[in-house]
Amino acid sequence: MTVDRLPPVAPEVTATLVEDLSPRLRKRLDAAVTKLGARPTHRDGDTVTIAVDDETELRLHAPGGVVATVDAITCGCLLAPACVHRAAAACAAPTADPAPEPADRPSRAAPEPASATDPGSASSPEVASPAQRAAADALWSAGAAVLEAGVDGAGAVTRSTLLRAAHTARLRHLPRAAGAALSVVTLLRAARAGDPSYRTADLVTALAELLGTAHRVGTASGAELAAVRGAARRPYSPDGSLRLYGLFTEPVVTDSGHGGVRTWVAGSDGRLCTVGDVAPGGVGRALGVADRAVRLGDSALTHRELGRAGLAVSGATVSPDGRLGAGKGVKAVTARGAAWTEPPLAALWETPPAEQAARALRSASRYADPDGGGSDLLFLDVELLGAVRESGGTCLLARCEGGMCVRLTVADDDPALAHRDNLTLLAAAPGARLRIIGRLVPALHPRLTLLACSHPTGEGTIDLGLDRLRCADLPDPAAPVHLAPLQPEGSGAHSPLYLLERRVEQTVPAGRAALGMLGDVTAETRRMRRAGLPTAAGLLTALCTSAAQRDRDLFGRLLPADTDGFATYWLAAARYTADVAESLCAAAWQPTQAR
């Protein structure tokens, strides 16, 4: 049985079922989850049945696609409803997204009343309520417990504690922190299930977002508090009439088995928006949807066509991240597009690369404001230099404004998509000059995933994930360019920052105790200090010291570990390494003469 065969379960349902178990059954919960995962399932309408054994069945009733109440999970065993099977089924199922709040419900809690003894308090910035601070404290404790145990020790009980804290935070109008907690739960489940799409770096980011947001609830005020609380929904807001010009279409294939396309368009003012169509189906659906009509008003354009044409939209609605809404009130008709060399699109290539990279980096930041908007795309004029080898394989090297060399890589290696074949062909055309669109890859050197380019010899543009170049499309071969294996470049090329990043990541799989046994880090801290990173050296020392520290009482017995203190050092190290890495990335995009 795979997780995706079970209906999503509301976080509070899973938390309640686990909390209701006796201490003896909680110890058996992880084994029960594993055993239940191997049993056959059967779906009949809104009900999924799991055969616990030859005589016992467990049912999950999911009207509307979600198991929303504790009573919706029933078991036929003799110990039901106090059995371990119901909690195990909830823990094995994916976590449901929180239901949207009613439109008339406030998106955040009312501010605390001003103190009658403080005449200036009425004009003070709003702060979190006591209930919000308590909810944030519970999230912090749950996140710290995950760091203490690591992935290997964060079983169903630990995850249910996170789910309960997430549910409480949502009720206290802290949707950003609640969402971070749900992300941690999802990644923990993927890690323990051996999901091939799981990456430790993703869990590091999710944990740091959870702990950082929970900590800031108690210290933020005013506008900062509003950002920390987040928004329960990402509504589409009216945007009047828009004149849009197509840029390109990219295939979207996710690790969860979803597929589709995203078409990028620009307004008359250069603002970027997207029209997407992504649903379960994988790469096959992505290729098929590209030639389906866009779901926007009465337009008959396909996604491929929209990427090269235009739209006139009235009654437009746009989400904070630039997605165009397709509501009933939206009307759209086909209009003339614009070439990349014509206004208003040509202006996208006129911004210096360093400014574009700084803007894209703000959008691609691991801890960017969820409602910050912006795009991680870059628009560059380049000269192709040829293929070069690097540690992760082969990439295409190109020279852009100011002589800066940029590494261009494929956006997706799936052989059904055209990315890899197109990049290989372009690498055989050194000297070709192209106008390109790529997505920033945060690194210590200029790096993009290549998404679209101007036609090498003709008119029009190429969607590099969907359109396939041919040898006849390339210019006549130029003299070969001999390139040595590519070495890292840029101001942070040899930064030993990775020494701290490695310790931050090592904590997540096995927990605090494993980090405490890694031994002396004096050589590592000395190297970081020589490289001008004294803060990194201090954080590494404090992190490892905290991990190894275990005090004893007067009788020599070990006292409980300081999980809060260790979590604080770990969070500081995680956020510091992310901030420095992003600063080094931004510096790498500065013109060569400015370094």
Side-chain angles (χ1 to χ4, degrees), residues 234-240 242 244 263 265 271-277 294-299 303 306 311-332:
R234 300 177 65 82
Y236 287 81
S237 57
D239 210 339
L242 297 176
L244 303 174
T263 298
V265 296
R271 181 175 50 147
L272 300 181
C273 298
T274 60
V275 182
D277 185 348
V294 173
R295 298 175 182 174
L296 193 67
D298 299 324
S299 171
H303 279 274
L306 175 58
L311 280 179
V313 184
S314 62
T317 58
V318 185
S319 72
D321 58 358
R323 289 175 295 166
L324 290 167
K328 294 181 180 179
V330 178
K331 300 185 183 300

Side-chain angles (χ1 to χ4, degrees), residues 25-121:
L25 290 180
R26 288 191 188 187
K27 295 179 181 179
R28 297 171 49 189
L29 182 56
D30 287 324
V33 172
T34 302
K35 182 177 180 180
L36 207 62
R39 302 300 300 169
T41 63
H42 171 72
R43 181 181 293 273
D44 183 11
D46 292 334
T47 301
V48 174
T49 301
I50 306 174
V52 177
D53 54 40
D54 293 339
E55 300 178 353
T56 306
E57 291 184 337
L58 185 148
R59 292 183 174 84
L60 293 86
H61 185 51
V66 175
V67 178
T69 65
V70 171
D71 295 337
I73 302 180
T74 59
C75 183
C77 74
L78 296 176
L79 294 178
C83 62
V84 73
H85 303 129
R86 298 170 68 221
C91 291
T95 303
D97 293 329
E101 296 181 355
D104 59 348
R105 185 174 183 176
S107 60
R108 60 186 189 181
E112 291 182 326
S115 170
T117 61
D118 182 3
S121 61

Side-chain angles (χ1 to χ4, degrees), residues 405-432:
C405 288
V406 181
R407 308 182 203 194
L408 306 176
T409 63
V410 295
D412 194 310
D413 251 325
D414 194 306
L417 300 175
H419 289 296
R420 175 59 65 185
D421 291 343
N422 285 335
L423 194 76
T424 300
L425 272 178
L426 291 174

Side-chain angles (χ1 to χ4, degrees), residues 320-383:
D321 58 358
R323 289 175 295 166
L324 290 167
K328 294 181 180 179
V330 178
K331 300 185 183 300
V333 296
T334 304
R336 178 186 175 276
W340 287 2
T341 54
E342 299 174 348
L345 300 186
L348 295 171
W349 279 264
E350 294 173 0
T351 303
E355 293 183 25
Q356 293 192 53
R359 180 256 306 151
L361 193 58
R362 289 192 296 271
S363 174
S365 171
R366 280 177 267 182
Y367 306 107
D369 184 348
D371 295 316
S375 162
D376 56 359
L377 300 184
L378 269 72
F379 304 83
L380 303 177
D381 289 307
V382 301
E383 177 188 0

Side-chain angles (χ1 to χ4, degrees), residues 471-561:
C471 291
D473 295 320
L474 301 180
D476 293 334
V481 178
H482 298 288
L483 296 170
L486 193 62
Q487 299 298 321
E489 58 183 43
S491 59
H494 305 289
S495 170
L497 183 67
Y498 76 92
L499 296 172
L500 180 58
E501 290 176 320
R502 182 178 61 183
R503 299 304 189 191
V504 169
E505 287 204 5
Q506 285 175 336
T507 306
V508 172
R512 176 197 56 78
L515 185 64
M517 294 187 294
L518 291 178
D520 183 52
V521 294
T522 302
E524 297 176 13
T525 58
R526 186 182 300 117
R527 182 177 172 187
M528 285 189 284
R529 292 184 189 281
R530 286 201 301 265
L533 296 172
T535 302
L539 284 171
L540 179 59
T541 299
L543 180 65
C544 292
T545 300
S546 178
Q549 184 175 2
R550 288 295 302 273
D551 295 329
R552 296 179 181 271
D553 62 15
L554 295 175
F555 299 98
R557 296 172 298 193
L558 282 174
L559 295 173

